[in-house]
Short mmCIF file of all heavy atoms in Angstrom, two decimals:
data_model
loop_
_atom_site.label_atom_id
_atom_site.label_comp_id
_atom_site.label_asym_id
_atom_site.label_seq_id
_atom_site.Cartn_x
_atom_site.Cartn_y
_atom_site.Cartn_z
N HIS A 245 -42.59 -8.51 10.50
CA HIS A 245 -41.40 -9.29 10.23
C HIS A 245 -40.34 -8.46 9.42
O HIS A 245 -39.17 -8.82 9.44
CB HIS A 245 -41.74 -10.57 9.47
CG HIS A 245 -41.93 -10.42 8.00
ND1 HIS A 245 -43.12 -9.97 7.46
CD2 HIS A 245 -41.10 -10.62 6.95
CE1 HIS A 245 -43.00 -9.91 6.14
NE2 HIS A 245 -41.79 -10.29 5.80
N GLN A 246 -40.76 -7.43 8.71
CA GLN A 246 -39.82 -6.63 7.96
C GLN A 246 -39.31 -5.38 8.77
O GLN A 246 -38.45 -4.66 8.29
CB GLN A 246 -40.45 -6.14 6.65
CG GLN A 246 -40.62 -7.27 5.64
CD GLN A 246 -41.09 -6.76 4.29
OE1 GLN A 246 -41.71 -5.70 4.21
NE2 GLN A 246 -40.77 -7.48 3.22
N LYS A 247 -39.82 -5.21 9.96
CA LYS A 247 -39.40 -4.08 10.80
C LYS A 247 -38.21 -4.47 11.64
O LYS A 247 -38.09 -5.61 12.12
CB LYS A 247 -40.54 -3.64 11.71
CG LYS A 247 -41.75 -3.11 10.93
CD LYS A 247 -42.86 -2.73 11.90
CE LYS A 247 -44.10 -2.20 11.15
NZ LYS A 247 -45.19 -1.84 12.09
N GLU A 248 -37.28 -3.52 11.82
CA GLU A 248 -36.10 -3.79 12.64
C GLU A 248 -36.48 -3.82 14.11
O GLU A 248 -36.00 -4.69 14.88
CB GLU A 248 -35.06 -2.73 12.41
CG GLU A 248 -34.47 -2.72 10.99
CD GLU A 248 -33.44 -1.64 10.80
OE1 GLU A 248 -33.39 -0.72 11.64
OE2 GLU A 248 -32.68 -1.73 9.84
N LEU A 249 -37.30 -2.87 14.55
CA LEU A 249 -37.74 -2.78 15.94
C LEU A 249 -39.23 -2.44 16.00
O LEU A 249 -39.75 -1.80 15.09
CB LEU A 249 -36.95 -1.68 16.68
CG LEU A 249 -35.43 -1.90 16.84
CD1 LEU A 249 -34.78 -0.64 17.38
CD2 LEU A 249 -35.16 -3.09 17.78
N VAL A 250 -39.86 -2.86 17.07
CA VAL A 250 -41.26 -2.50 17.31
C VAL A 250 -41.38 -2.06 18.75
O VAL A 250 -40.56 -2.44 19.61
CB VAL A 250 -42.20 -3.71 17.05
CG1 VAL A 250 -42.19 -4.08 15.58
CG2 VAL A 250 -41.85 -4.88 17.91
N PRO A 251 -42.39 -1.23 19.10
CA PRO A 251 -42.60 -0.88 20.49
C PRO A 251 -42.87 -2.12 21.34
O PRO A 251 -43.56 -3.04 20.86
CB PRO A 251 -43.83 0.04 20.43
CG PRO A 251 -43.85 0.58 19.04
CD PRO A 251 -43.32 -0.53 18.18
N LEU A 252 -42.31 -2.18 22.50
CA LEU A 252 -42.50 -3.35 23.36
C LEU A 252 -43.98 -3.54 23.72
O LEU A 252 -44.42 -4.67 23.91
CB LEU A 252 -41.68 -3.18 24.66
CG LEU A 252 -41.72 -4.36 25.62
CD1 LEU A 252 -41.24 -5.64 24.95
CD2 LEU A 252 -40.89 -4.08 26.87
N SER A 253 -44.71 -2.44 23.80
CA SER A 253 -46.17 -2.54 24.11
C SER A 253 -46.87 -3.38 23.01
O SER A 253 -47.75 -4.19 23.33
CB SER A 253 -46.79 -1.16 24.17
OG SER A 253 -46.59 -0.42 22.97
N GLN A 254 -46.50 -3.22 21.74
CA GLN A 254 -47.09 -4.02 20.68
C GLN A 254 -46.68 -5.49 20.79
O GLN A 254 -47.50 -6.39 20.61
CB GLN A 254 -46.69 -3.49 19.29
CG GLN A 254 -47.24 -2.12 18.98
CD GLN A 254 -46.86 -1.65 17.58
OE1 GLN A 254 -46.37 -2.44 16.75
NE2 GLN A 254 -47.08 -0.38 17.31
N GLU A 255 -45.42 -5.72 21.16
CA GLU A 255 -44.96 -7.08 21.33
C GLU A 255 -45.68 -7.78 22.48
O GLU A 255 -45.98 -8.96 22.40
CB GLU A 255 -43.44 -7.09 21.58
CG GLU A 255 -42.81 -8.46 21.69
CD GLU A 255 -42.45 -9.11 20.37
OE1 GLU A 255 -42.73 -8.48 19.32
OE2 GLU A 255 -41.90 -10.22 20.38
N VAL A 256 -45.95 -7.02 23.55
CA VAL A 256 -46.67 -7.58 24.69
C VAL A 256 -48.11 -7.93 24.30
O VAL A 256 -48.64 -8.97 24.68
CB VAL A 256 -46.64 -6.61 25.87
CG1 VAL A 256 -47.60 -7.05 26.98
CG2 VAL A 256 -45.23 -6.50 26.43
N ASP A 257 -48.77 -7.06 23.51
CA ASP A 257 -50.12 -7.37 23.04
C ASP A 257 -50.11 -8.65 22.22
O ASP A 257 -51.00 -9.50 22.35
CB ASP A 257 -50.67 -6.21 22.19
CG ASP A 257 -50.98 -4.97 23.03
OD1 ASP A 257 -51.13 -5.10 24.26
OD2 ASP A 257 -51.06 -3.88 22.45
N PHE A 258 -49.09 -8.77 21.39
CA PHE A 258 -48.96 -9.98 20.57
C PHE A 258 -48.74 -11.22 21.44
O PHE A 258 -49.35 -12.28 21.25
CB PHE A 258 -47.81 -9.82 19.58
CG PHE A 258 -47.32 -11.11 18.96
CD1 PHE A 258 -48.11 -11.80 18.08
CD2 PHE A 258 -46.09 -11.60 19.27
CE1 PHE A 258 -47.69 -13.01 17.51
CE2 PHE A 258 -45.61 -12.79 18.71
CZ PHE A 258 -46.43 -13.49 17.85
N ILE A 259 -47.83 -11.11 22.44
CA ILE A 259 -47.53 -12.26 23.27
C ILE A 259 -48.69 -12.68 24.12
O ILE A 259 -48.91 -13.88 24.43
CB ILE A 259 -46.26 -12.01 24.12
CG1 ILE A 259 -45.56 -13.34 24.43
CG2 ILE A 259 -46.59 -11.30 25.42
CD1 ILE A 259 -45.00 -14.04 23.24
N ASN A 260 -49.54 -11.71 24.49
CA ASN A 260 -50.75 -12.05 25.25
C ASN A 260 -51.71 -12.84 24.36
O ASN A 260 -52.37 -13.83 24.82
CB ASN A 260 -51.44 -10.77 25.77
CG ASN A 260 -50.72 -10.21 26.98
OD1 ASN A 260 -50.11 -10.95 27.75
ND2 ASN A 260 -50.76 -8.89 27.14
N ALA A 261 -51.85 -12.43 23.10
CA ALA A 261 -52.70 -13.17 22.17
C ALA A 261 -52.12 -14.56 21.89
O ALA A 261 -52.85 -15.55 21.82
CB ALA A 261 -52.83 -12.41 20.85
N TYR A 262 -50.78 -14.63 21.76
CA TYR A 262 -50.14 -15.92 21.55
C TYR A 262 -50.30 -16.82 22.75
O TYR A 262 -50.54 -18.04 22.63
CB TYR A 262 -48.65 -15.68 21.27
CG TYR A 262 -47.85 -16.91 21.00
CD1 TYR A 262 -48.03 -17.67 19.86
CD2 TYR A 262 -46.89 -17.36 21.93
CE1 TYR A 262 -47.28 -18.82 19.60
CE2 TYR A 262 -46.14 -18.50 21.70
CZ TYR A 262 -46.35 -19.22 20.53
OH TYR A 262 -45.60 -20.35 20.32
N TYR A 263 -50.21 -16.24 23.96
CA TYR A 263 -50.43 -17.02 25.19
C TYR A 263 -51.86 -17.57 25.27
O TYR A 263 -52.08 -18.69 25.76
CB TYR A 263 -50.13 -16.13 26.40
CG TYR A 263 -50.49 -16.78 27.73
CD1 TYR A 263 -49.89 -17.92 28.15
CD2 TYR A 263 -51.47 -16.19 28.53
CE1 TYR A 263 -50.24 -18.51 29.38
CE2 TYR A 263 -51.83 -16.75 29.75
CZ TYR A 263 -51.22 -17.91 30.17
OH TYR A 263 -51.58 -18.48 31.37
N TYR A 264 -52.81 -16.77 24.79
CA TYR A 264 -54.20 -17.27 24.76
C TYR A 264 -54.31 -18.57 23.95
O TYR A 264 -54.99 -19.53 24.37
CB TYR A 264 -55.11 -16.19 24.16
CG TYR A 264 -56.57 -16.57 24.12
CD1 TYR A 264 -57.43 -16.30 25.19
CD2 TYR A 264 -57.09 -17.22 23.00
CE1 TYR A 264 -58.76 -16.64 25.17
CE2 TYR A 264 -58.46 -17.59 22.98
CZ TYR A 264 -59.26 -17.28 24.05
OH TYR A 264 -60.61 -17.64 24.02
N LEU A 265 -53.62 -18.60 22.80
CA LEU A 265 -53.64 -19.82 21.97
C LEU A 265 -52.98 -20.99 22.72
O LEU A 265 -53.49 -22.13 22.68
CB LEU A 265 -52.90 -19.59 20.65
CG LEU A 265 -53.39 -18.41 19.79
CD1 LEU A 265 -52.57 -18.33 18.51
CD2 LEU A 265 -54.88 -18.55 19.46
N LEU A 266 -51.85 -20.72 23.39
CA LEU A 266 -51.16 -21.79 24.13
C LEU A 266 -52.01 -22.24 25.32
O LEU A 266 -52.01 -23.43 25.65
CB LEU A 266 -49.79 -21.30 24.61
CG LEU A 266 -48.77 -20.96 23.52
CD1 LEU A 266 -47.50 -20.41 24.16
CD2 LEU A 266 -48.44 -22.21 22.69
N ARG A 267 -52.70 -21.29 25.93
CA ARG A 267 -53.51 -21.63 27.11
C ARG A 267 -54.63 -22.56 26.73
O ARG A 267 -55.00 -23.50 27.51
CB ARG A 267 -54.07 -20.33 27.71
CG ARG A 267 -54.88 -20.53 28.98
CD ARG A 267 -54.03 -20.79 30.19
NE ARG A 267 -54.83 -20.81 31.39
CZ ARG A 267 -54.36 -21.00 32.61
NH1 ARG A 267 -53.07 -21.20 32.76
NH2 ARG A 267 -55.15 -21.00 33.65
N ILE A 268 -55.25 -22.38 25.55
CA ILE A 268 -56.29 -23.26 25.08
C ILE A 268 -55.74 -24.66 24.93
O ILE A 268 -56.37 -25.67 25.25
CB ILE A 268 -56.88 -22.79 23.75
CG1 ILE A 268 -57.57 -21.43 23.93
CG2 ILE A 268 -57.83 -23.80 23.16
CD1 ILE A 268 -58.77 -21.45 24.82
N ARG A 269 -54.50 -24.75 24.46
CA ARG A 269 -53.88 -26.05 24.19
C ARG A 269 -53.39 -26.75 25.44
O ARG A 269 -53.58 -27.99 25.62
CB ARG A 269 -52.71 -25.84 23.22
CG ARG A 269 -52.01 -27.11 22.81
CD ARG A 269 -50.91 -26.74 21.78
NE ARG A 269 -50.05 -27.88 21.49
CZ ARG A 269 -48.94 -27.82 20.77
NH1 ARG A 269 -48.54 -26.63 20.29
NH2 ARG A 269 -48.23 -28.91 20.55
N PHE A 270 -52.75 -25.99 26.37
CA PHE A 270 -52.14 -26.63 27.55
C PHE A 270 -52.90 -26.38 28.83
O PHE A 270 -52.54 -26.96 29.86
CB PHE A 270 -50.69 -26.10 27.69
CG PHE A 270 -49.78 -26.42 26.57
CD1 PHE A 270 -49.39 -25.46 25.65
CD2 PHE A 270 -49.33 -27.73 26.36
CE1 PHE A 270 -48.54 -25.74 24.61
CE2 PHE A 270 -48.50 -28.03 25.33
CZ PHE A 270 -48.10 -27.06 24.41
N GLU A 271 -53.91 -25.51 28.78
CA GLU A 271 -54.74 -25.19 29.94
C GLU A 271 -53.91 -24.76 31.13
O GLU A 271 -53.05 -23.90 31.01
CB GLU A 271 -55.65 -26.40 30.24
CG GLU A 271 -56.59 -26.74 29.06
CD GLU A 271 -57.52 -27.89 29.36
OE1 GLU A 271 -57.22 -28.64 30.29
OE2 GLU A 271 -58.51 -28.03 28.62
N LYS A 272 -54.11 -25.38 32.30
CA LYS A 272 -53.47 -24.94 33.53
C LYS A 272 -51.99 -25.35 33.63
O LYS A 272 -51.33 -25.02 34.63
CB LYS A 272 -54.22 -25.46 34.75
CG LYS A 272 -55.64 -24.91 34.85
CD LYS A 272 -56.34 -25.47 36.09
CE LYS A 272 -57.75 -24.92 36.21
NZ LYS A 272 -58.47 -25.47 37.39
N ALA A 273 -51.49 -26.03 32.63
CA ALA A 273 -50.08 -26.48 32.67
C ALA A 273 -49.16 -25.32 32.29
O ALA A 273 -47.93 -25.47 32.38
CB ALA A 273 -49.89 -27.65 31.74
N LEU A 274 -49.71 -24.19 31.88
CA LEU A 274 -48.88 -23.10 31.41
C LEU A 274 -49.37 -21.77 32.03
O LEU A 274 -50.56 -21.49 32.01
CB LEU A 274 -48.94 -22.98 29.87
CG LEU A 274 -48.11 -21.86 29.23
CD1 LEU A 274 -46.63 -22.05 29.47
CD2 LEU A 274 -48.38 -21.81 27.73
N GLU A 275 -48.42 -21.00 32.58
CA GLU A 275 -48.76 -19.70 33.19
C GLU A 275 -47.81 -18.64 32.65
O GLU A 275 -46.61 -18.87 32.53
CB GLU A 275 -48.64 -19.78 34.72
CG GLU A 275 -49.60 -20.79 35.36
CD GLU A 275 -49.39 -20.91 36.88
OE1 GLU A 275 -48.62 -20.07 37.41
OE2 GLU A 275 -49.98 -21.81 37.48
N LEU A 276 -48.36 -17.44 32.38
CA LEU A 276 -47.56 -16.33 31.91
C LEU A 276 -47.86 -15.11 32.77
O LEU A 276 -49.01 -14.76 33.00
CB LEU A 276 -47.88 -16.02 30.43
CG LEU A 276 -47.19 -14.78 29.84
CD1 LEU A 276 -45.69 -15.00 29.75
CD2 LEU A 276 -47.76 -14.42 28.49
N ASP A 277 -46.79 -14.45 33.22
CA ASP A 277 -46.92 -13.24 34.05
C ASP A 277 -46.07 -12.13 33.44
O ASP A 277 -44.86 -12.31 33.25
CB ASP A 277 -46.48 -13.56 35.49
CG ASP A 277 -46.69 -12.37 36.42
OD1 ASP A 277 -47.55 -11.52 36.11
OD2 ASP A 277 -45.95 -12.27 37.44
N VAL A 278 -46.71 -10.99 33.11
CA VAL A 278 -45.98 -9.86 32.52
C VAL A 278 -46.00 -8.70 33.49
O VAL A 278 -47.07 -8.23 33.88
CB VAL A 278 -46.63 -9.46 31.17
CG1 VAL A 278 -45.88 -8.28 30.58
CG2 VAL A 278 -46.65 -10.62 30.19
N GLN A 279 -44.83 -8.25 33.89
CA GLN A 279 -44.70 -7.13 34.84
C GLN A 279 -43.62 -6.17 34.32
O GLN A 279 -42.43 -6.39 34.51
CB GLN A 279 -44.29 -7.63 36.24
CG GLN A 279 -45.25 -8.62 36.86
CD GLN A 279 -44.74 -9.16 38.17
OE1 GLN A 279 -43.86 -8.58 38.80
NE2 GLN A 279 -45.29 -10.29 38.61
N LEU A 280 -44.07 -5.14 33.63
CA LEU A 280 -43.14 -4.17 33.04
C LEU A 280 -43.39 -2.77 33.57
O LEU A 280 -44.56 -2.33 33.65
CB LEU A 280 -43.28 -4.18 31.51
CG LEU A 280 -42.90 -5.48 30.79
CD1 LEU A 280 -43.27 -5.41 29.34
CD2 LEU A 280 -41.40 -5.75 30.94
N ASP A 281 -42.32 -2.08 33.91
CA ASP A 281 -42.48 -0.71 34.43
C ASP A 281 -42.62 0.27 33.24
O ASP A 281 -42.65 -0.14 32.09
CB ASP A 281 -41.33 -0.31 35.34
CG ASP A 281 -39.97 -0.42 34.66
OD1 ASP A 281 -39.93 -0.38 33.38
OD2 ASP A 281 -38.95 -0.53 35.36
N LYS A 282 -42.69 1.58 33.53
CA LYS A 282 -42.90 2.57 32.48
C LYS A 282 -41.77 2.58 31.45
O LYS A 282 -42.02 2.67 30.25
CB LYS A 282 -43.08 3.96 33.11
CG LYS A 282 -44.35 4.12 33.89
CD LYS A 282 -44.50 5.52 34.45
CE LYS A 282 -45.80 5.68 35.25
NZ LYS A 282 -45.94 7.06 35.79
N ASN A 283 -40.52 2.55 31.95
CA ASN A 283 -39.40 2.53 31.00
C ASN A 283 -39.42 1.28 30.13
O ASN A 283 -39.13 1.32 28.94
CB ASN A 283 -38.07 2.59 31.75
CG ASN A 283 -37.76 3.99 32.26
OD1 ASN A 283 -38.25 4.97 31.68
ND2 ASN A 283 -36.96 4.09 33.28
N GLY A 284 -39.76 0.15 30.74
CA GLY A 284 -39.81 -1.08 29.99
C GLY A 284 -40.87 -1.06 28.90
O GLY A 284 -40.59 -1.39 27.74
N ILE A 285 -42.06 -0.64 29.22
CA ILE A 285 -43.15 -0.67 28.26
C ILE A 285 -42.98 0.36 27.15
O ILE A 285 -43.53 0.22 26.06
CB ILE A 285 -44.52 -0.45 28.95
CG1 ILE A 285 -45.65 -1.09 28.15
CG2 ILE A 285 -44.80 1.00 29.23
CD1 ILE A 285 -45.59 -2.57 28.09
N LYS A 286 -42.15 1.41 27.41
CA LYS A 286 -41.90 2.42 26.39
C LYS A 286 -40.67 2.09 25.52
O LYS A 286 -40.35 2.86 24.63
CB LYS A 286 -41.70 3.78 27.06
CG LYS A 286 -42.97 4.39 27.69
CD LYS A 286 -42.67 5.73 28.30
CE LYS A 286 -43.95 6.33 28.94
NZ LYS A 286 -43.66 7.62 29.55
N SER A 287 -40.01 1.01 25.81
CA SER A 287 -38.83 0.65 25.06
C SER A 287 -39.19 -0.07 23.76
O SER A 287 -40.37 -0.25 23.45
CB SER A 287 -37.91 -0.25 25.92
OG SER A 287 -38.56 -1.47 26.19
N TYR A 288 -38.15 -0.43 23.02
CA TYR A 288 -38.34 -1.12 21.73
C TYR A 288 -37.68 -2.49 21.78
O TYR A 288 -36.81 -2.75 22.60
CB TYR A 288 -37.77 -0.27 20.58
CG TYR A 288 -38.58 0.93 20.27
CD1 TYR A 288 -38.57 2.05 21.09
CD2 TYR A 288 -39.43 0.97 19.14
CE1 TYR A 288 -39.33 3.18 20.84
CE2 TYR A 288 -40.19 2.09 18.86
CZ TYR A 288 -40.15 3.18 19.70
OH TYR A 288 -40.93 4.29 19.44
N ILE A 289 -38.07 -3.33 20.85
CA ILE A 289 -37.59 -4.71 20.86
C ILE A 289 -37.62 -5.24 19.44
O ILE A 289 -38.52 -4.88 18.67
CB ILE A 289 -38.48 -5.57 21.80
CG1 ILE A 289 -37.84 -6.94 22.06
CG2 ILE A 289 -39.88 -5.72 21.22
CD1 ILE A 289 -38.56 -7.71 23.15
N PRO A 290 -36.65 -6.08 19.05
CA PRO A 290 -36.76 -6.76 17.75
C PRO A 290 -38.04 -7.60 17.71
O PRO A 290 -38.30 -8.34 18.67
CB PRO A 290 -35.51 -7.63 17.69
CG PRO A 290 -34.54 -6.96 18.59
CD PRO A 290 -35.38 -6.40 19.70
N PRO A 291 -38.85 -7.51 16.67
CA PRO A 291 -40.13 -8.23 16.65
C PRO A 291 -39.95 -9.73 16.80
O PRO A 291 -38.96 -10.31 16.34
CB PRO A 291 -40.71 -7.86 15.29
CG PRO A 291 -39.56 -7.41 14.46
CD PRO A 291 -38.61 -6.79 15.40
N MET A 292 -40.89 -10.34 17.49
CA MET A 292 -40.98 -11.80 17.71
C MET A 292 -39.98 -12.28 18.76
O MET A 292 -39.88 -13.49 18.99
CB MET A 292 -40.75 -12.58 16.41
CG MET A 292 -41.59 -12.10 15.23
SD MET A 292 -43.34 -12.38 15.48
CE MET A 292 -43.42 -14.15 15.49
N THR A 293 -39.27 -11.39 19.45
CA THR A 293 -38.31 -11.82 20.44
C THR A 293 -38.99 -12.57 21.60
O THR A 293 -38.57 -13.67 21.97
CB THR A 293 -37.51 -10.61 20.98
OG1 THR A 293 -36.79 -10.02 19.94
CG2 THR A 293 -36.54 -11.05 22.08
N LEU A 294 -39.99 -11.95 22.18
CA LEU A 294 -40.68 -12.60 23.30
C LEU A 294 -41.34 -13.90 22.87
O LEU A 294 -41.34 -14.88 23.62
CB LEU A 294 -41.71 -11.63 23.91
CG LEU A 294 -41.13 -10.34 24.56
CD1 LEU A 294 -42.26 -9.54 25.15
CD2 LEU A 294 -40.10 -10.66 25.61
N GLN A 295 -41.91 -13.88 21.67
CA GLN A 295 -42.56 -15.07 21.16
C GLN A 295 -41.56 -16.26 21.04
O GLN A 295 -41.86 -17.38 21.36
CB GLN A 295 -43.23 -14.81 19.81
CG GLN A 295 -44.13 -15.90 19.30
CD GLN A 295 -43.35 -16.95 18.51
OE1 GLN A 295 -42.24 -16.68 18.03
NE2 GLN A 295 -43.91 -18.14 18.38
N LEU A 296 -40.36 -15.93 20.54
CA LEU A 296 -39.35 -16.99 20.40
C LEU A 296 -38.97 -17.57 21.76
O LEU A 296 -38.80 -18.79 21.89
CB LEU A 296 -38.09 -16.43 19.72
CG LEU A 296 -38.19 -16.19 18.20
CD1 LEU A 296 -36.94 -15.48 17.73
CD2 LEU A 296 -38.39 -17.49 17.45
N LEU A 297 -38.85 -16.70 22.78
CA LEU A 297 -38.47 -17.17 24.09
C LEU A 297 -39.57 -17.97 24.73
O LEU A 297 -39.33 -19.03 25.36
CB LEU A 297 -38.13 -15.96 24.98
CG LEU A 297 -36.88 -15.18 24.57
CD1 LEU A 297 -36.67 -13.95 25.44
CD2 LEU A 297 -35.63 -16.05 24.59
#
Side-chain angles (χ1 to χ4, degrees):
H245 82 277
Q246 289 187 334
K247 297 179 180 178
E248 295 180 343
L249 295 170
V250 295
L252 183 58
S253 57
Q254 293 183 13
E255 183 84 358
V256 169
D257 290 341
F258 163 69
I259 207 65
N260 284 330
Y262 180 70
Y263 171 63
Y264 181 90
L265 304 181
L266 295 176
R267 182 76 174 181
I268 296 296
R269 182 178 172 187
F270 297 107
E271 298 182 343
K272 295 181 181 180
L274 180 64
E275 298 177 8
L276 175 68
D277 183 24
V278 180
Q279 301 176 19
L280 295 172
D281 58 22
K282 291 182 179 180
N283 283 336
I285 205 67
K286 290 180 180 180
S287 65
Y288 287 75
I289 191 170
M292 311 294 293
T293 297
L294 297 182
Q295 189 274 339
L296 285 173
L297 294 175

